Amino acid sequence: MCREILRGSVRVADNNTQRPDISALGVRPPIQRVYHMLMIEKYRLAFDISPVPMLLIAGDGEILLANSGFLELFEYNASELIGLSVEVLVPAPTREHHPELRNAYHRVPTKRSMGAGRDLYGVTKSGNVIPLELGLEPVPDSEEPMALVAAIDIRQRKAHEVRLRQAMDAAASAMVMVDHKGSIVFVNQAAAKLFQYEERDLMGKRVEMLVPEEFQRAHPVYTSSFMSNSTARSMGLGRDLFARRRDGSQFPVEIALTPVDTPEGKMVMSTIIDLSERVAAAEEVARKSKELEALNVELSHFAYSASHDLKAPLSSIVGLLNICLQDLETNDIDEVRANMSKVMEISRRSADKIEAILTVARAGRDPVERSLIQLEEIVQETWLDLTGGKAGTELLLDLDHKDPVMSEQTTLKVIIENLLSNALRYSDPKKSEHTIRVSSRTIDDGLHVAVSDNGVGIPEENHDKVFLMFKRLDERSGDGLGLALVKKQIDRLGGEITLKSTVGHGAEFSFTLPGEDEDLEQDSGDSRR
Amino acid sequence: MNKIPVIVVDDETIDRYIVKRQLAKCDDFEQVLEATTGAEFLEAYFSEPRLMSQQSQPLLVLMDINMPQMSGFETIEELQRRMEADSGPDNVIILMFTSSNNPEDRAKAELFPTVKGYVVKPLDEVGVQAIRALYYA
């Protein structure tokens, strides 16, 4: 009878074999047993009417009392559970050091929740592990260390949390929740991915780790002012915002801030949208429209120049023929003959010029065959064509690129021909030696070629004008089409042409020709053979 | 009546020849002077006594627009700048002389106080009379 009172309302004499931890309980002095009995009786009624699953535990961990809610939750009968050590309810990983934790509690007993933020679990008779929230309370007026334990089944809450978490992770937008101190308390998968971190690298850290360095100092001030006067709004107040990835790189973002009141205090949920693609698309549109603008300028420039340059020879022809008519009346046949020759000469030049203009206009429209080319061969051939083998100018070759190069043979020939012809034409009569140097080297994305001379050079103010169509800068200029054509072809091939020149020292035109990826790979393979 | 002193500024030899021939038929003009670039014209205008303002008639300048180095317009800008700065000779009547009938060029020509007209190449008998009329206008 005494035993029944002590161990609850059900007999336990026959369940020795079901007590895994009974040895830990040791033997109690009679005075303690009486004391336990008193406490059990004191709490029994309260236990039975409490809807919350509850336990009364002795200082050594013995379960003294459990209410029906608790028994149901852990799938025990009272007779099975009472008298066991509480450790039977603790899942394996923690069970071993649980007595230690329990002893620590009894040294400084306070009312508190167990686990200090860790997830807590209990194990039922059948071995089910269930998440719990546990409240601990020392038994008041107790001379023996005893504790009341309230256990709340949080399986449903956990399931909700998981579902919420899944929903947050499914969201395309990155979400970062920050507490009032500016520490990260939540990130979804999109956020972790966006910032290139693992979730665990972010939790509990300062949110400033996601902020570009130049704003890191000011950011906590913004955070606290938002916390003290928070309404949902977008961050930055119209300024361009940037966020910082793990590798330190920055990217444009749009951030919406929403205040959230939680039991842990005021927090702010920030929804972050990566604008990189949008910004890149806007830049692409801007680039295209700039390109179109440039094309328009080129077109109107062409129309303007055409009115000058194509009409001028026709005017001259009409003028000359008019004079021929007058001279015929006075029978000045010699003058007529001379002027007729001039007319023919102008007509011939005009035809050539129109052909050249058509070449420029066609550049980029007609597909040109790409082939493996030998730069040196092109330069030597062109040089022979231009000089007829008797030049007063020396040609120096400094070709250091990896052969062969894949490009448009005919286009490259046009480019080289124009550059060499200009270099020849603008030699400096004051110098005793005239040299033209063609150098080449392989660069990251293709070929770099420079044609430099020690000629008269080009004044700084004309550097921008040399590539303009029809622009003839002095008497030695050709038809004003050569460099325009060269530039247009190089632009089309995705390269760049630049001019360096000092008057009196010479000029250097250098251009790049990007290799096409596939071809280049093949090329470098060939060149290693 | 005094003859009109005239200079043609044009890089095209043939166009200068046509001007010389056409104006030679008309007694109203002195023998045509020539400059092949804007710079050459400016050099002559500010240094050769023959072209300076002490002559009784203003100098007639037939100015081509499209020339290498300085264009006709650039040459006139420089001329006007130097006329203001050096208070040099300012007895000049300029006619744009070009194959371009481009409205942009015509509009631009009207902005220069020294430019009195616009003559489209090639120059023929009608053109010569037009030049004469513009000069005396």
Side-chain angles (χ1 to χ4, degrees):
Chain A
M1 182 62 203
C2 173
R3 200 175 162 82
E4 280 174 357
I5 295 167
L6 283 173
R7 300 278 161 87
S9 57
V10 182
R11 295 176 54 84
V12 291
D14 58 343
N15 64 356
N16 272 354
T17 53
Q18 291 172 8
R19 293 184 192 178
D21 275 324
I22 192 68
S23 58
L25 298 178
V27 182
R28 295 186 192 286
I31 180 70
Q32 215 174 29
R33 289 181 182 281
V34 173
Y35 197 76
H36 286 170
M37 187 183 72
L38 288 171
M39 284 301 151
I40 288 165
E41 285 313 307
K42 183 175 173 185
Y43 285 103
R44 185 184 301 280
L45 180 64
F47 262 47
D48 283 347
I49 61 173
S50 165
V52 177
M54 293 186 81
L55 272 185
L56 179 65
I57 300 195
D60 59 5
E62 183 186 351
I63 297 170
L64 301 174
L65 189 63
N67 67 359
S68 57
F70 194 94
L71 293 168
E72 198 181 314
L73 181 61
F74 282 82
E75 305 163 4
Y76 283 97
N77 294 323
S79 58
E80 294 166 336
L81 192 60
I82 304 302
L84 297 187
S85 163
V86 73
E87 270 77 39
V88 300
L89 306 173
V90 179
T94 326
R95 186 180 291 163
E96 211 174 303
H97 58 268
H98 191 260
E100 246 172 84
L101 298 171
R102 189 157 39 74
N103 290 336
Y105 176 76
H106 286 303
R107 274 195 288 279
V108 197
T110 49
K111 176 176 178 166
R112 63 168 172 85
S113 60
M114 199 189 284
R118 280 176 291 119
D119 285 340
L120 296 177
Y121 297 91
V123 60
T124 67
K125 186 176 158 191
S126 67
N128 274 338
V129 176
I130 52 179
L132 297 171
E133 189 174 292
L134 295 170
L136 277 178
E137 189 165 356
V139 172
D141 314 323
S142 163
E143 289 178 21
E144 277 289 309
M146 294 169 81
L148 287 166
V149 179
I152 297 165
D153 175 10
I154 56 169
R155 269 177 293 190
Q156 266 200 315
R157 195 205 295 172
K158 279 277 165 193
H160 280 305
E161 271 179 30
V162 168
R163 221 170 298 145
L164 186 65
R165 173 86 229 183
Q166 281 169 340
M168 296 281 215
D169 281 343
S173 304
M175 297 186 209
V176 175
M177 186 138 103
V178 171
D179 68 12
H180 66 284
K181 287 179 295 196
S183 300
I184 297 170
V185 295
F186 170 82
V187 288
N188 69 352
Q189 268 178 12
K193 196 171 157 218
L194 183 60
F195 290 101
Q196 299 172 340
Y197 285 97
E198 296 294 327
E199 185 191 321
R200 61 171 181 277
D201 299 331
L202 289 166
M203 293 297 288
K205 300 281 172 53
R206 303 281 316 162
V207 69
E208 277 76 33
M209 72 192 287
L210 307 178
V211 173
E213 256 164 67
E214 59 264 42
F215 298 112
Q216 282 179 355
R217 207 184 270 268
H219 192 265
V221 181
Y222 295 140
T223 309
S224 61
S225 79
F226 183 81
M227 291 292 180
S228 63
N229 178 26
S230 52
T231 48
R233 63 168 170 86
S234 60
M235 195 193 280
L237 306 167
R239 276 176 288 123
D240 287 341
L241 290 183
F242 292 88
R244 182 174 187 268
R245 293 191 195 93
R246 180 181 213 145
D247 63 9
S249 61
Q250 298 184 10
F251 59 103
V253 287
E254 192 173 280
I255 301 179
L257 299 176
T258 316
V260 182
D261 280 315
T262 73
E264 288 84 40
K266 204 159 215 175
M267 303 207 179
V268 54
M269 177 67 91
S270 33
T271 311
I272 302 146
I273 296 166
D274 181 1
L275 297 183
S276 304
E277 275 179 35
R278 213 187 290 174
V279 167
E283 277 169 2
E284 175 66 11
V285 169
R287 197 183 61 74
K288 280 266 186 246
S289 89
K290 214 172 149 194
E291 217 174 271
L292 283 176
E293 220 169 277
L295 277 177
N296 259 331
V297 169
E298 192 187 327
L299 186 65
S300 68
H301 185 75
F302 178 85
Y304 178 85
S305 302
S307 77
H308 271 301
D309 285 64
L310 299 181
K311 214 177 144 193
L314 289 176
S315 300
S316 301
I317 289 169
V318 172
L320 280 173
L321 289 178
N322 194 7
I323 287 171
C324 285
L325 285 178
Q326 292 167 15
D327 288 343
L328 279 175
E329 274 173 30
T330 56
N331 267 330
D332 192 349
I333 299 302
D334 286 346
E335 195 68 13
V336 171
R337 190 174 289 121
N339 284 334
M340 292 297 272
S341 306
K342 284 180 195 164
V343 166
M344 284 174 66
E345 172 58 24
I346 297 171
S347 304
R348 223 176 270 129
R349 267 197 284 135
S350 294
D352 290 349
K353 184 163 185 172
I354 287 169
E355 197 54 51
I357 291 169
L358 288 176
T359 309
V360 177
R362 270 198 300 262
R365 261 196 3 215
D366 303 344
V368 181
E369 198 186 328
R370 294 173 72 87
S371 55
L372 293 176
I373 52 159
Q374 295 284 351
L375 184 60
E376 182 169 359
E377 212 174 286
I378 292 180
V379 173
Q380 297 285 17
E381 259 177 37
T382 309
W383 184 253
L384 201 65
D385 288 349
L386 287 172
T387 60
K390 17 174 217 238
T393 303
E394 192 188 359
L395 176 68
L396 302 169
L397 291 186
D398 181 13
L399 305 180
D400 194 26
H401 66 281
K402 292 175 191 141
D403 271 333
V405 176
M406 189 78 163
S407 194
E408 298 176 0
Q409 170 98 4
T410 47
T411 308
L412 192 57
K413 196 160 160 53
V414 167
I415 293 167
I416 295 291
E417 187 181 329
N418 276 287
L419 294 181
L420 285 180
S421 141
N422 281 348
L424 276 169
R425 215 162 341 116
Y426 286 92
S427 63
D428 190 345
K430 291 187 206 120
K431 289 170 189 149
S432 57
E433 284 180 3
H434 309 304
T435 55
I436 296 174
R437 177 186 297 273
V438 180
S439 56
S440 72
R441 59 193 160 86
T442 301
I443 52 168
D444 283 351
D445 46 357
L447 178 68
H448 179 276
V449 180
V451 176
S452 52
D453 62 58
N454 68 339
V456 291
I458 300 166
E460 180 90 41
E461 66 264 25
N462 286 342
H463 284 196
D464 291 338
K465 296 183 191 159
V466 294
F467 297 110
L468 291 178
M469 207 168 174
F470 298 111
K471 198 75 194 178
R472 292 151 64 227
L473 292 163
D474 66 24
E475 313 78 59
R476 280 192 269 188
S477 293
D479 49 19
L481 290 168
L483 284 175
L485 176 62
V486 164
K487 178 161 169 47
K488 197 164 172 189
Q489 295 285 18
I490 289 170
D491 284 349
R492 182 175 62 80
L493 293 176
E496 245 179 89
I497 183 161
T498 50
L499 162 63
K500 272 188 283 184
S501 177
T502 316
V503 171
H505 287 89
E508 178 185 285
F509 285 90
S510 56
F511 63 93
T512 56
L513 286 181
E516 269 175 22
D517 294 347
E518 264 176 284
D519 300 334
L520 253 201
E521 274 163 28
Q522 195 192 329
D523 287 353
S524 53
D526 288 344
S527 67
R528 273 196 299 270
R529 268 201 311 238
Chain B
M1 197 161 68
N2 282 320
K3 290 190 174 185
I4 303 170
V6 54
I7 184 167
V8 56
V9 186
D10 198 320
D11 59 311
E12 283 293 340
T13 314
I14 288 167
D15 289 2
R16 293 196 307 272
Y17 166 79
I18 294 169
V19 169
K20 279 189 288 182
R21 285 288 311 265
Q22 295 293 6
L23 292 188
K25 290 202 300 174
C26 182
D27 282 342
D28 294 344
F29 297 92
E30 283 184 16
Q31 195 188 344
V32 176
L33 303 170
E34 297 174 55
T36 60
T37 68
E40 198 184 312
F41 162 72
L42 290 172
E43 170 72 18
Y45 185 77
F46 287 100
S47 60
E48 283 188 31
R50 250 189 337 151
L51 299 180
M52 304 222 333
S53 56
Q54 52 261 47
Q55 49 195 359
S56 53
Q57 298 270 66
L59 176 66
L60 171 64
V61 182
L62 295 176
M63 182 72 76
D64 185 21
I65 293 177
N66 192 28
M67 293 184 286
Q69 291 173 317
M70 289 174 102
S71 75
F73 289 129
E74 284 165 347
T75 307
I76 297 168
E77 270 166 28
E78 178 64 13
L79 173 75
Q80 291 186 171
R81 196 187 62 74
R82 283 171 65 172
M83 285 196 316
E84 272 172 42
D86 310 347
S87 57
D90 57 359
N91 211 6
V92 66
I93 291 176
I94 301 173
L95 300 178
M96 299 318 294
F97 181 60
T98 172
S99 59
S100 159
N101 214 349
N102 193 313
E104 270 176 56
D105 285 339
R106 282 185 174 271
K108 197 168 176 186
E110 280 177 22
L111 298 176
F112 293 101
T114 47
V115 176
K116 292 285 183 300
Y118 199 98
V119 180
V120 177
K121 292 179 187 176
L123 188 60
D124 54 15
E125 296 88 337
V126 179
V128 172
Q129 288 315 309
I131 287 173
R132 210 179 147 277
L134 284 167
Y135 181 82
Y136 287 116

